[in-house]
């Protein structure tokens, strides 16, 4: 299972003792176990296209240097593997056919560790995903699995050698070489090299069980013994590569001793395998390391090449970091700007990340992971927009001609390779996704029509995360996915839980439930119960693009100007959240926002003192304090009551929904969060001054046991965050918080 966070909007109580209304259910397992489906399926159209695509295989005699004839349409095998992993059995037969096709002698990768590595990811990634899909893996014989082990070890060793600090060719500053002596490589070259070569180490690590096991495998590498294994297994492509120096002693290929030295204590720019996310960070920051633009020379290109064909005025996210490097790079011919090469970085990077996810090595929700996803979201949105509009590439000193979804999409497998982002990774990362023409497009607001079971995956047999009450509101992230005759939708509910629900258990939320602000449009206002003291207000914000310039604020009555707002949270033009503090906008902590993502904002307001606190909670994450004890806007320094929520946009648009007002009494607390950590289950919740908090647990929602001692906030100057780690690991365990006043 992936890390699952539970949380919710509290029901605010006026009595002296309250129990937090949301009950959190723990996930059944700590971390991700092999075989747990953590990703959704590509769209059925994408799966069907992948089934129809030719099978891929390898041979060094194929022209072009890729050692495969499937360089253009590659990626179908990954789409099939992800679909099967997600439970889409329509992909199983073709996936098994592709696996066995590659295991046929003479069709396996050549594994020289250089340029062809990017295209080998189409099968090495398939093997990682397949190994983590028991329904597929259990259909393979022991002999077949042994051949896969050898292929994966060969590609790992080759990539480890060509990217290792201890490679004698690298440490001496000599011409870098692949295992077969090929000099057309460098571990620092453009992403089509780096993602294949360095990513080969990450994929190998994911396959062999993690950094420690992989370091042990590399540490004991014996070249002569491995060459003998490849010969005995009748893997001729691999045997030819690894025996190259012996067969061609006058070649520039590395010796056995050089290869062993290079891999046995692997380091990549000083980073050991234990810091594999540091290695991944280097990849993502290079591959997605440019700022979005329409092409070379301000979009004019060079002699009309190296630019978008049309739509430059509506280019999403201009100037934002995250554009794929190959849209603004260099090669031997000078400047380079190419959709073709950008796509060659996108494909292996996407697979590298999927390998980390399905093997349980992706640290979802961490700063490193979130930063990577933010870059991908900008870069992939940009690349697919350019594919739709058409892009005239410029590389090696000349025009590449136009490449677009219309004229190249079929040849290059755009349907299934795009779906891996739109329908698989975007929903996993909480970025929305799915078909915009669907009944409920990403961002649609819905409410449950009855008590509804929320599932971890799009199937009734998957783990239950919670049972939602009738009329629980939420935001659609993706769907539909058809499994077993049922139509499933991924929904992020305002309770803080995200999962899959079956069609028929929800309906569209009333239009009046949301406030939608558009650029240059009128002010949108929502009346609230008048508040004159301390109270809380929580609501969702969802920007439809990024960056935008839009504010949400509280006022005494319907607002038509900024000066009428007291407490204000802004989605600022720099792509970050900030808030009004007297006469200016500031932010206590930095939090970037992404297009199509729903964030939960909580305001804690003290009208009498004209102060407030604002937190923003990203999906599957913990609250980030944006405003800590900020002053009302200067024009509202004498306001005595607040009774309205207002939203307006200068540029872009956003939707505000799920508004919940509380009185700040015994029960006022931010929605708690729940996640697995080393040593147990961590529950995090916010406290208010002058309260007593008692965390409780139950195995069956009947008898509740206290966890730890009560937490008293009597005498605390302001709100705080508290977390408690429960060391008990149960298959299902429920938590609640009892809150009282002394």
């Amino acid at each position: 299972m992936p890390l699952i966070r539970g949380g919710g909007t509290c029901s605010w109580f006026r009595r002296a003792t309250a129990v937090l209304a949301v009950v959190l259910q723990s996930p059944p397992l700590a971390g991700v176990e092999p075989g747990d489906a953590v990703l959704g399926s590509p769209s059925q159209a994408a799966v069907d296209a992948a089934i129809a695509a030719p099978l891929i295989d390898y041979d060094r005699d194929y022209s072009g240097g890729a050692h495969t004839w499937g360089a253009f349409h590659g990626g179908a095998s990954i789409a099939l593997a992800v679909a099967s992993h997600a439970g889409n059995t329509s992909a199983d037969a073709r996936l098994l056919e592709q696996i066995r096709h590659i295991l046929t002698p003479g069709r396996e990768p050549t594994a020289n560790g250089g340029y062809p590595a990017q295209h080998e990811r189409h099968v090495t990634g398939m093997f990682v995903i397949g190994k983590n899909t028991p329904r597929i893996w259990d259909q393979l014989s022991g002999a077949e699995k042994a051949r896969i082990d050898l292929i994966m070890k060969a590609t790992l060793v080759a990539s480890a050698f060509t990217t290792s600090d201890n490679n004698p060719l690298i440490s001496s500053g000599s011409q870098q070489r692949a295992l077969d002596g090929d000099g057309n490589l460098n571990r620092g070259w453009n992403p089509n090299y780096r993602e294949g070569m360095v990513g080969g180490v990450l994929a190998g690590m994911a396959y062999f069980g993690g950094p420690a096991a992989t370091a042990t495998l590399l540490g004991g590498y014996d070249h002569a013994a491995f060459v003998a294994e490849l010969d005995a297994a009748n893997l001729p492509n691999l045997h030819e590569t690894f025996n190259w120096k012996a067969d061609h002693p006058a070649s520039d290929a590395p010796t056995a001793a050089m290869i062993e030295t290079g891999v046995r204590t692997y380091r990549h720019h000083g980073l050991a395998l234990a810091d594999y996310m540091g290695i991944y960070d280097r990849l993502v920051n290079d591959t997605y390391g440019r700022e979005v633009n329409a092409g070379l020379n301000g979009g004019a290109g060079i002699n009309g090449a190296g630019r978008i064909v049309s739509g430059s005025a509506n280019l999403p996210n201009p100037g934002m970091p995250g554009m794929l490097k190959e849209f603004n790079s260099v090669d031997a011919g000078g400047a380079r700007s190419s959709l073709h090469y950008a796509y060659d970085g996108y494909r292996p990077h996407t697979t590298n990340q999927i390998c980390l996810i399905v093997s349980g090595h992706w640290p979802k929700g961490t700063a490193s992971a979130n930063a990577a996803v933010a870059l991908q979201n900008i870069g992939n949105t940009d690349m697919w927009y350019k594919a739709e509009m058409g892009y005239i590439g410029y590389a090696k000193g000349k025009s590449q001609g136009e490449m677009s979804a219309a004229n190249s999409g079929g040849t290059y497998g755009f349907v299934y390779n795009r779906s891996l982002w739109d329908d698989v990774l975007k929903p996993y990362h909480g970025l929305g996704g799915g078909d915009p023409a669907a009944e409920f497009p990403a961002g649609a607001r819905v409410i449950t029509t009855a008590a509804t079971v929320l599932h971890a995956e799009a199937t009734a047999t998957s783990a239950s995360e919670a049972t939602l009450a009738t009329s629980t509101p939420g935001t659609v992230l993706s769907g539909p996915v058809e499994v077993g005759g049922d139509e499933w939708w991924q929904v992020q509910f305002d309770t803080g839980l995200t999962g899959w629900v079956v069609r028929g258990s929800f309906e569209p939320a009333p239009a009046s439930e949301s406030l939608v602000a558009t650029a240059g449009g009128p002010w949108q206002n929502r009346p609230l119960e008048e508040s004159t003291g301390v109270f809380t207000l929580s609501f969702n914000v969802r920007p439809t693009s990024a960056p935008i310039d839009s504010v949400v604020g509280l006022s005494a009555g319907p607002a038509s100007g900024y000066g009428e707002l007291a407490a204000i949270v802004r989605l600022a033009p720099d792509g970050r959240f900030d808030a009004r503090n007297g006469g200016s906008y500031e932010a206590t902590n930095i939090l970037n926002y992404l297009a199509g993502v729903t964030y939960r904002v909580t305001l804690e307001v003290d009208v009498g003192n004209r102060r407030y606190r604002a937190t923003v909670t990203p999906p599957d994450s913990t609250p980030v304090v944006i405003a800590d004890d900020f002053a009302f806007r200067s024009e509202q320094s004498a306001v005595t009551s607040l009774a309205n929520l207002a939203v307006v946009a200068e540029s872009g648009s956003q939707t505000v929904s799920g508004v919940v007002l509380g009185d700040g009494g015994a029960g006022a607390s931010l929605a708690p969060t729940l996640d697995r950590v080393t040593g147990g289950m961590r529950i995090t919740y916010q406290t208010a001054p002058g309260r007593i908090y008692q965390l409780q647990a139950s195995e069956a929602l009947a008898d509740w046991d206290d966890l730890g001692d009560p937490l008293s906030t009597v005498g605390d100057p302001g709100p705080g965050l508290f977390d408690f780690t429960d060391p008990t690991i149960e298959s299902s365990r429920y938590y609640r918080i009892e809150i009282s006043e002394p």
Side-chain angles (χ1 to χ4, degrees):
M1 293 291 295
L3 293 181
I4 301 173
R5 297 180 185 270
T9 302
C10 304
S11 296
W12 310 110
F13 297 88
R14 295 181 182 276
R15 59 181 182 237
T17 300
V19 174
L20 196 61
V22 174
V23 174
L24 307 178
Q25 182 181 10
S26 63
L29 295 172
V32 180
E33 295 294 331
D36 286 343
V38 297
L39 297 172
S41 174
S43 70
Q44 194 59 50
V47 174
D48 292 343
I51 291 172
L55 299 175
I56 193 170
D57 56 43
Y58 301 85
D59 191 304
R60 72 177 61 253
D61 291 333
Y62 285 131
S63 63
H67 293 188
T68 179
W69 70 281
F72 285 178
H73 66 261
S77 53
I78 302 302
L80 293 172
V82 172
S84 291
H85 181 76
N88 186 339
T89 56
S90 70
D92 289 5
R94 187 62 166 175
L95 174 61
L96 286 164
E97 184 181 4
Q98 174 66 85
I99 290 173
R100 290 178 170 130
H101 183 77
I102 284 295
L103 298 183
T104 303
R107 292 175 175 166
E108 79 277 9
T110 57
N112 76 349
Y115 174 78
Q118 60 182 300
H119 304 296
E120 293 171 357
R121 197 58 24 76
H122 301 316
V123 296
T124 57
M126 174 185 70
F127 289 146
V128 173
I129 302 164
K131 189 176 184 180
N132 286 278
T133 309
R135 189 182 69 260
I136 297 298
W137 200 246
D138 292 346
Q139 294 186 59
L140 300 175
S141 68
E144 288 172 326
K145 294 175 185 176
R147 290 178 72 79
I148 295 173
D149 286 348
L150 289 173
I151 292 171
M152 292 302 297
K153 182 175 179 179
T155 56
L156 168 66
V157 168
S159 289
F161 174 74
T162 56
T163 62
S164 172
D165 295 349
N166 296 318
N167 177 335
L169 299 174
I170 292 175
S171 61
S172 65
S174 303
Q175 167 69 52
Q176 296 179 32
R177 299 280 178 182
L179 267 62
D180 57 5
D182 182 15
N184 179 32
L185 81 161
N186 187 293
R187 67 172 182 167
W189 281 359
N190 281 330
N192 56 331
Y193 284 86
R194 293 161 61 108
E195 290 287 353
M197 296 163 63
V198 181
V201 176
L202 296 178
M205 183 209 72
Y207 181 87
F208 286 110
T214 307
T216 299
L217 185 154
L218 292 174
Y221 177 69
D222 183 318
H223 189 76
F226 187 57
V227 170
E229 283 188 89
L230 296 175
D231 188 31
N234 191 19
L235 291 168
N237 290 346
L238 293 176
H239 181 265
E240 182 181 25
T241 297
F242 278 73
N243 204 45
W244 195 272
K245 187 65 173 179
D247 285 344
H248 307 85
S251 72
D252 291 322
T255 65
M258 292 169 68
I259 297 171
E260 290 171 350
T261 298
V263 305
R264 283 182 176 171
T265 306
Y266 183 77
R267 295 291 186 277
H268 182 67
H269 292 281
L271 300 172
L273 283 172
D275 190 10
Y276 64 88
M277 277 305 293
I279 297 173
Y280 172 85
D281 287 344
R282 287 184 58 88
L283 273 183
V284 72
N285 285 309
D286 179 73
T287 300
Y288 291 86
R290 297 292 189 263
E291 294 181 353
V292 174
N293 62 56
L296 299 173
N297 297 321
I302 298 176
N303 297 325
R307 63 174 180 84
I308 196 170
V309 173
S310 63
S312 60
N314 296 315
L315 183 70
N317 310 308
M320 291 289 286
M323 184 176 75
L324 282 152
K325 179 180 181 179
E326 294 284 29
F327 283 119
N328 186 12
S329 186
V330 295
D331 59 22
R336 180 152 97 181
S337 182
S338 167
L339 172 58
H340 178 103
Y341 283 114
Y343 187 58
D344 280 350
Y346 162 85
R347 281 190 297 183
H349 187 93
T350 297
T351 301
N352 292 336
Q353 188 181 94
I354 289 173
C355 288
L356 294 177
I357 292 170
V358 300
S359 64
H361 294 98
W362 180 256
K364 186 176 183 181
T366 63
S368 175
N370 289 344
V373 171
L375 291 174
Q376 284 179 280
N377 194 38
I378 295 294
N380 294 344
T381 299
D382 175 69
M383 185 190 73
W384 289 120
Y385 179 82
K386 287 170 177 170
E388 292 166 0
M389 297 296 105
Y391 204 86
I392 302 173
Y394 186 84
K396 301 177 182 178
K398 61 183 180 180
S399 173
Q400 293 180 304
E402 181 181 343
M403 183 180 186
S404 70
N407 68 22
S408 307
T411 302
Y412 286 85
F414 279 11
V415 172
Y416 42 81
N417 282 304
R418 180 169 185 171
S419 188
L420 288 171
W421 174 250
D422 284 351
D423 303 307
V424 177
L425 288 176
K426 282 184 71 176
Y428 171 78
H429 292 309
L431 300 175
D435 182 1
E439 180 185 10
F440 297 97
R445 291 289 292 172
V446 296
I447 57 172
T448 57
T449 55
T452 300
V453 176
L454 184 68
H455 287 274
E457 302 159 24
T459 171
T461 60
S462 66
S464 168
E465 296 189 10
T467 298
L468 303 167
T470 302
S471 299
T472 301
T475 302
V476 172
L477 295 181
S478 67
V481 171
E482 293 189 9
V483 178
D486 291 325
E487 190 177 275
W488 293 84
W489 297 79
Q490 188 183 40
V491 181
Q492 177 186 340
F493 286 95
D494 291 358
T495 59
L497 294 170
T498 297
W500 294 86
V501 290
V502 69
R503 184 68 180 98
S505 63
F506 61 90
E507 63 184 13
S512 59
E513 191 260 355
S514 301
L515 297 173
V516 180
T518 57
W523 283 74
Q524 303 293 315
N525 290 279
R526 167 71 56 80
L528 304 171
E529 181 180 347
E530 183 179 31
S531 298
T532 59
V534 176
F535 69 97
T536 62
L537 184 77
S538 63
F539 50 86
N540 302 316
V541 297
R542 184 180 188 273
T544 55
S545 60
I548 65 173
D549 185 3
S550 182
V551 302
V552 187
L554 290 167
S555 58
S560 58
Y562 293 104
E564 299 173 50
L565 303 181
I568 309 171
V569 171
R570 181 175 69 158
L571 284 78
D574 64 359
R576 299 174 175 177
F577 285 97
D578 59 21
R580 191 75 175 193
N581 189 9
S584 63
Y585 285 100
E586 303 173 12
T588 301
N589 294 293
I590 294 175
L591 177 63
N592 294 315
Y593 59 85
L594 300 174
V597 178
T598 300
Y599 301 87
R600 191 72 183 174
V601 178
T602 299
L603 302 177
E604 299 171 72
V605 184
D606 183 347
V607 179
N609 290 309
R610 285 83 179 180
R611 314 288 294 185
Y612 72 104
R613 187 175 194 262
T615 60
V616 179
T617 305
D620 292 332
S621 191
T622 53
V624 177
V625 178
I626 301 300
D628 192 9
D629 193 29
F630 277 18
F632 284 4
R633 188 180 178 108
S634 302
E635 294 92 325
Q636 297 298 313
S637 60
V639 69
T640 58
S641 66
L642 297 173
N644 185 75
L645 181 68
V647 57
V648 71
E650 291 289 337
S651 65
S653 65
Q654 71 160 315
T655 299
V656 174
S657 61
V659 180
V660 177
L661 178 67
D663 65 8
S669 171
L670 279 180
T673 60
L674 176 72
D675 62 325
R676 290 283 187 188
V677 295
T678 302
M681 183 67 62
R682 181 176 61 201
I683 305 94
T684 303
Y685 58 94
Q686 188 178 13
T687 62
R691 308 285 183 264
I692 297 174
Y693 296 82
Q694 179 62 64
L695 182 63
Q696 299 177 328
S698 173
E699 309 305 329
L701 294 174
D703 299 321
W704 292 89
D705 298 320
D706 291 346
L707 292 179
D709 296 327
L711 173 69
S712 174
T713 60
V714 176
D716 286 2
L721 280 175
F722 179 75
D723 63 73
F724 179 90
T725 299
D726 176 11
T728 304
I729 304 299
E730 301 288 349
S731 60
S732 181
R733 191 167 173 87
Y734 299 87
Y735 299 90
R736 73 178 187 183
I737 304 168
E738 186 179 70
I739 309 171
S740 61
E741 294 178 348

